[in-house]
Amino acid sequence: QVQLVESGGGLVQPGGSLRLSCAASGRDFSTSVMAWYRQAPGKERELVATIFAGGYTTYGDSVKGRFTISRDDAKSMVYLQMHSLNPEDTAVYYCNVDIGLDVTTMQSIEYWGRGTQVTVSS
């Protein structure tokens, strides 16, 4: 079955950097859309960055120019490089994969990791 396991979170000072990793297993993800979301306490889950098959990327407005999403399909890995972190980036970060459309329900088939905590504080 599909499994996503995030790692790399932790405590970092404002202005610092972190690199999150997501190890995916259970199938070939090379044609799948991979993404990072985050959820801060008391807030809704927010889309941080998306990477499509072939490498096209999109970013949320709050992280543009600071975060970079990348993928290594040979290793079934997705990464989120984060720079210039600030306290507003504090959240649980989740890896997400969209493997396509279920034609019986017309809904996307998505999987989620359990998340990794990122805390930005001095």
Side-chain angles (χ1 to χ4, degrees):
Q1 76 241 32
V2 173
Q3 277 196 314
L4 303 175
V5 180
E6 303 95 336
S7 61
L11 174 63
V12 62
Q13 292 189 339
S17 299
L18 276 178
R19 187 195 195 206
L20 305 183
S21 299
C22 173
S25 61
R27 59 171 284 140
D28 176 14
F29 296 96
S30 60
T31 61
S32 301
V33 181
M34 311 290 291
W36 287 95
Y37 286 75
R38 68 185 181 185
Q39 188 166 21
K43 294 188 176 181
E44 292 188 357
R45 194 168 292 192
E46 172 190 17
L47 176 60
V48 175
T50 305
I51 185 164
F52 296 82
Y56 179 74
T57 58
T58 63
Y59 295 93
D61 288 341
S62 62
V63 306
K64 279 180 184 175
R66 300 188 298 122
F67 291 11
T68 302
I69 188 171
S70 61
R71 64 193 293 165
D72 184 338
D73 291 329
K75 297 180 179 179
S76 294
M77 296 290 294
V78 181
Y79 305 99
L80 186 69
Q81 180 67 55
M82 306 184 292
H83 295 296
S84 302
L85 286 161
N86 58 63
E88 290 69 42
D89 296 315
T90 296
V92 178
Y93 284 70
Y94 297 92
C95 183
N96 168 276
V97 60
D98 182 341
I99 65 171
L101 191 67
D102 183 334
V103 295
T104 61
T105 64
M106 298 307 288
Q107 303 231 340
S108 292
I109 303 171
E110 295 185 66
Y111 295 91
W112 295 87
R114 291 190 170 186
T116 185
Q117 176 71 46
V118 172
T119 302
V120 185
S121 175
S122 55

